Amino acid sequence: MITRKDLIENLKAPLGELEADRELFAAAAAQRDRMVGSRVHVRGLIELSNRCRKNCLYCGIRSGNPAVERYELTDEQVLAAAERAWRAGYGSVVLQAGERTDGAFVDRVERLVKRIKERSNGGMGITLSLGEQARATYRRWFEAGAHRYLLRIEASSPELYARIHPADHSYRERMDCLRVLRDEGYQVGTGVMIGLPFQRVEDLVDDLLFFRELDIDMCGMGPYIEAPGTPLATSPEAFSRAERLQLSLRMIALLRLLMPDINIAATTALHALHPQGRELGIAAGANVMMPNLTPAAVREGYRLYDNKPLADTDLRGFEVVFDRAWGDAPHFAARRKASEPLAEDGSEK
Ligand code: SAM
Ligand code: SF4
């Protein structure tokens, strides 16, 4: 059993050479191979739109950033990207966008999910990452065919959360959304940014324990990277970029040891800090990558932070699953089984 003390010791070890963490990364990768297999699952990422009603202090596409030219993919562009993915052997796509809750947007996502399902004969797995929504909306999208949802808590400490969001963004509401998503039947993913201003190593330890406490199925976490023109970009940095990369890899490895059978993504932000960032993430125990399928013409518009890679992922060097598998985390099936009622004699049904 990994304790808080173990986590602190590992995360607080001197930062500098990635090589020094070799044993930790190898142990995590071996755990991954045993528990979820050595193959990397891919999800094609489609960034629907950079319009957002929120104003998170760290995000390049926050509503208060006038320098961003706003775009919206057409339904045809989204469906074409999903169809290309399906033909290429992807079993899953992620629809991501800035947060909108208006009726037109909710209808549109429902329609897109249904169409992607129809055009793949129900075969394509669909993950949504569209922020905080009403229960009824999550339900409609689930009924339309989405089955996984990514909603990062961003920082599990309510105090740190408050420092990186405007006063009208509520930690409690975000937590409620995570509970509702689970309740509605989704496989739930969350995550945090690593190396935020004001963040301490102890906060990161608490983030890992928070994931375990919430019993998540998937995690997408990565380094915080300053986005020019955002309020947080002018705050003093807590960790250098090299330290953020190393801490992010340690977080992936420790989470794999803590929650062996969940899906853990090697995120794009790792790549923004190191040309082989995502590959390093896989070597540290991650098992999911999300190559970007957003049409190149608008990719520039979805610039969440400085130096966001615009090119496609280099998938050479891994055994990547292109067999149209959904690649669900075994954790989800185990969690469902554990919550099934017991038979009258006390045995599992
Ligand atoms: N709007 C939805 C939401 O917030 O959940 C989905 C899109 S949002 C752009 C996806 C993720 O981008 C956020 O959860 C956040 O962690 C990440 N992100 C935003 N700005 C970032 C930054 N400056 N550095 C690293 N990650 C960032
Ligand atoms: Fe909008 Fe998501 Fe960026 Fe916050 S992180 S401003 S909700 S796109």
Side-chain angles (χ1 to χ4, degrees):
M1 176 82 169
I2 301 173
T3 63
R4 188 167 201 281
K5 189 161 157 277
D6 298 327
L7 296 174
I8 291 188
E9 258 168 34
N10 275 285
L11 280 177
K12 281 209 158 166
L15 293 160
E17 293 297 319
L18 287 183
E19 186 57 24
D21 293 326
R22 188 159 43 142
E23 268 180 39
L24 172 66
F25 297 159
Q31 177 87 300
R32 179 212 41 227
D33 293 354
R34 268 194 306 276
M35 300 302 292
V36 295
S38 59
R39 299 192 306 169
V40 176
H41 290 278
V42 284
R43 329 262 180 240
L45 177 64
I46 305 174
E47 295 156 335
L48 288 185
S49 167
N50 63 0
R51 297 216 168 91
C52 187
R53 70 192 192 103
K54 289 233 172 146
N55 214 5
C56 306
L57 303 183
Y58 44 82
C59 181
I61 61 171
R62 66 200 296 269
S63 55
N65 187 351
V68 179
E69 202 179 311
R70 304 288 163 174
Y71 76 85
E72 182 116 26
L73 294 183
T74 63
D75 283 10
E76 289 64 38
Q77 282 175 309
V78 176
L79 295 172
E83 224 160 279
R84 253 196 337 272
W86 182 245
R87 277 200 302 274
Y90 282 77
S92 206
V93 285
V94 181
L95 303 185
Q96 191 180 82
E99 186 175 303
R100 275 179 57 187
T101 53
D102 52 282
F105 181 76
V106 173
D107 291 350
R108 172 161 195 251
V109 171
E110 182 181 46
R111 189 170 68 234
L112 285 170
V113 169
K114 280 188 181 154
R115 295 238 169 103
I116 293 172
K117 280 291 191 193
E118 276 160 21
R119 293 196 184 181
S120 60
N121 282 325
M124 186 66 106
I126 301 179
T127 305
L128 300 178
S129 175
L130 302 168
E132 295 169 29
Q133 304 288 340
R135 180 187 283 270
T137 302
Y138 287 145
R139 182 171 295 172
R140 275 176 64 187
W141 292 346
F142 187 81
E143 283 170 357
H147 79 296
R148 293 190 281 238
Y149 205 102
L150 297 171
L151 184 71
R152 288 185 177 182
I153 190 68
E154 314 294 2
S156 70
S157 147
E159 294 76 32
L160 182 55
Y161 186 93
R163 293 188 87 160
I164 62 170
H165 292 99
D168 62 349
H169 291 34
S170 155
Y171 180 87
R172 202 177 42 76
E173 277 168 27
R174 204 148 182 101
M175 282 298 296
D176 283 347
C177 283
L178 285 168
R179 285 193 205 97
V180 169
L181 283 164
R182 184 175 164 137
D183 206 34
E184 290 296 323
Y186 285 93
Q187 297 178 35
V188 179
T190 191
V192 292
M193 284 173 287
I194 297 162
L196 286 160
F198 322 116
Q199 197 176 40
R200 301 159 312 135
V201 170
E202 287 76 4
D203 292 318
L204 296 172
V205 170
D206 290 339
D207 289 338
L208 292 171
L209 296 171
F210 170 90
F211 298 148
R212 185 167 67 180
E213 176 69 27
L214 214 63
D215 201 20
I216 58 171
D217 304 304
M218 319 177 280
C219 183
M221 57 183 170
Y224 161 71
I225 302 170
E226 291 83 355
T230 57
L232 211 63
T234 54
S235 298
E237 63 177 30
F239 299 96
S240 71
R241 289 191 173 201
E243 288 172 339
R244 289 177 226 170
L245 174 73
Q246 190 166 10
L247 282 172
S248 301
L249 296 172
R250 284 184 189 171
M251 288 285 281
I252 289 175
L254 291 168
L255 184 60
R256 175 60 68 199
L257 297 174
L258 206 57
M259 302 188 75
D261 62 350
I262 65 169
N263 279 341
I264 304 178
T267 56
T268 312
L270 287 170
H271 183 97
L273 291 191
H274 189 290
Q276 261 84 49
R278 279 176 288 216
E279 292 75 0
L280 290 169
I282 299 294
N287 68 323
V288 170
M289 281 208 198
M290 300 197 273
N292 196 335
L293 303 182
T294 310
V298 299
R299 245 179 238 190
E300 177 65 31
Y302 205 83
R303 206 174 258 283
L304 306 179
Y305 42 75
D306 197 18
N307 198 29
K308 182 171 178 254
L310 299 178
D312 287 322
T313 317
D314 181 359
L315 292 171
R316 285 169 299 182
F318 299 109
E319 198 191 335
V320 180
V321 185
F322 274 119
D323 60 359
R324 295 185 174 167
W326 284 6
D328 289 338
H331 188 79
F332 178 69
R335 168 159 88 69
R336 289 294 281 255
K337 192 156 193 307
S339 65
E340 274 174 14
L342 294 178
E344 274 176 13
D345 63 2
S347 62
E348 284 180 11
K349 277 187 185 168

